[in-house]
């Protein structure tokens, strides 16, 4: 099977900007632009943002270009090298941290956590998009129901958010209600499901409840 064009040419566009990509990161998707737009609309400038599972760093870079202070984390050193290259390409200051979810963040506090986590159901990998078989499995395999990483992140994220802090997830179009329920169980409020330009559920946005 021929590798995707983005890998063959070493680049892809995201939010109308060029980004370097290689086999160690997911190729940026147009769908993810909705996640970035939602963060920009709901976060004040100079807010401290954690971009978890940063991959190519495309999300982190665009957010940094909008005057947000971004920390980008990933479990993969190879992915972080790509993300650093993209930050340099666009001349933005971004902090990079190697971290397996929250393990390397030492109880730091953020105004918002942004994440496009692995969310493809294991049994559906390659079913709808054959190109994904060329991409790093660690970046898209979300377990049997696609929700493994949402559970892990939601279970810990409150400790890393400031009072009234926010969380933003990209989701599969069928996962909105399930992720919403996980957030409610952890006492998040103001939960909203944002649709993409095709009218499909694409982002879940919620706020930490002040107790």
């Amino acid at each position: 099977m021929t590798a995707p064009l983005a890998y063959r040419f070493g680049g892809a566009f995201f939010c109308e900007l060029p980004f370097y990509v290689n086999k160690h990161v997911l190729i940026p998707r147009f769908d993810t632009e909705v996640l970035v737009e939602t963060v920009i609309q709901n976060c004040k400038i100079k807010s401290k943002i954690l971009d978890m599972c940063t991959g190519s760093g495309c999300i982190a870079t665009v957010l940094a270009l909008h005057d947000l202070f971004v920390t980008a984390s990933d479990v993969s050193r190879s992915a972080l090298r790509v993300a650093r290259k993209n930050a340099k390409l666009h001349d933005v200051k971004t902090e990079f941290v190697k971290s397996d979810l929250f393990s390397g963040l030492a109880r730091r506090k953020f105004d918002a956590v942004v994440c496009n986590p692995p969310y493809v159901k294991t049994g559906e990998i390659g079913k709808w998009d054959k190109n994904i078989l060329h991409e790093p499995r660690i970046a898209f395999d979300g377990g049997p129901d696609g929700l493994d990483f949402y559970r892990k992140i939601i279970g810990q994220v409150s400790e890393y958010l400031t009072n009234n802090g926010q969380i933003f997830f990209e989701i599969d179009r069928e996962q909105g209600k399930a992720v919403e329920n996980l957030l409610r169980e952890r006492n998040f409020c103001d939960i909203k499901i944002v649709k993409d330009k095709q009218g499909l559920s694409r982002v879940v946005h919620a706020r930490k409840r002040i107790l």
Side-chain angles (χ1 to χ4, degrees):
M1 191 187 309
T2 305
L5 285 174
Y7 286 160
R8 288 156 60 190
F9 291 103
F13 277 85
F14 181 74
C15 291
E16 300 183 351
L17 297 171
F19 286 90
Y20 169 71
V21 294
N22 64 20
K23 66 180 181 179
H24 299 296
V25 298
L26 282 181
I27 299 165
R29 263 73 166 180
F30 178 72
D31 293 337
T32 304
E33 294 184 9
V34 180
L35 175 63
V36 173
E37 291 165 3
T38 305
V39 175
I40 293 168
Q41 289 165 6
N42 287 278
C43 290
K44 297 177 182 178
I45 62 171
K46 310 302 183 186
S47 293
K48 294 180 180 178
I49 309 294
L50 172 64
D51 175 31
M52 180 175 283
C53 307
T54 195
S56 68
C58 61
I59 294 171
T61 295
V62 176
L63 294 180
L65 285 168
H66 283 80
D67 288 328
L68 297 167
F69 294 134
V70 184
T71 297
S73 70
D74 205 288
V75 70
S76 166
R77 291 189 188 278
S78 297
L80 287 172
R81 281 194 287 271
V82 174
R84 286 190 181 96
K85 186 168 183 174
N86 282 318
K88 185 176 181 180
L89 174 66
H90 293 286
D91 194 26
V92 295
K93 291 183 178 180
T94 304
E95 178 188 20
F96 295 96
V97 179
K98 184 183 182 300
S99 182
D100 185 356
L101 299 185
F102 295 101
S103 66
L105 294 168
R107 292 294 188 272
R108 292 173 57 183
K109 297 284 186 180
F110 300 91
D111 298 308
V113 173
V114 181
C115 188
N116 178 13
Y119 61 69
V120 179
K121 295 178 183 178
T122 303
E124 294 186 356
I125 291 172
K127 185 175 180 180
W128 311 110
D129 179 5
K130 297 297 182 184
N131 280 339
I132 204 171
L133 298 175
H134 290 276
E135 299 177 82
R137 189 182 183 105
I138 191 175
F140 59 77
D141 189 346
D145 63 357
L147 299 173
D148 281 2
F149 285 85
Y150 299 108
R151 292 190 187 94
K152 292 175 183 177
I153 295 167
I154 293 169
Q156 302 177 64
V157 69
S158 287
E159 300 174 40
Y160 298 86
L161 287 172
T162 56
N163 287 336
N164 212 33
Q166 302 176 80
I167 186 162
F168 301 83
F169 285 121
E170 180 172 325
I171 58 168
D172 177 82
R173 62 186 181 181
E174 298 178 349
Q175 293 173 326
K177 196 64 182 176
V179 175
E180 179 181 353
N181 289 338
L182 290 170
L183 287 162
R184 288 194 190 284
E185 289 170 7
R186 289 289 178 166
N187 217 26
F188 280 81
C189 62
D190 298 334
I191 304 170
K192 298 180 179 65
I193 297 175
V194 181
K195 296 185 183 298
D196 61 21
K197 290 178 174 63
Q198 294 178 303
L200 303 173
S201 297
R202 184 57 58 193
V203 171
V204 176
H205 168 214
R207 195 174 297 275
K208 178 180 176 181
R209 189 186 300 275
I210 300 176
L211 301 177

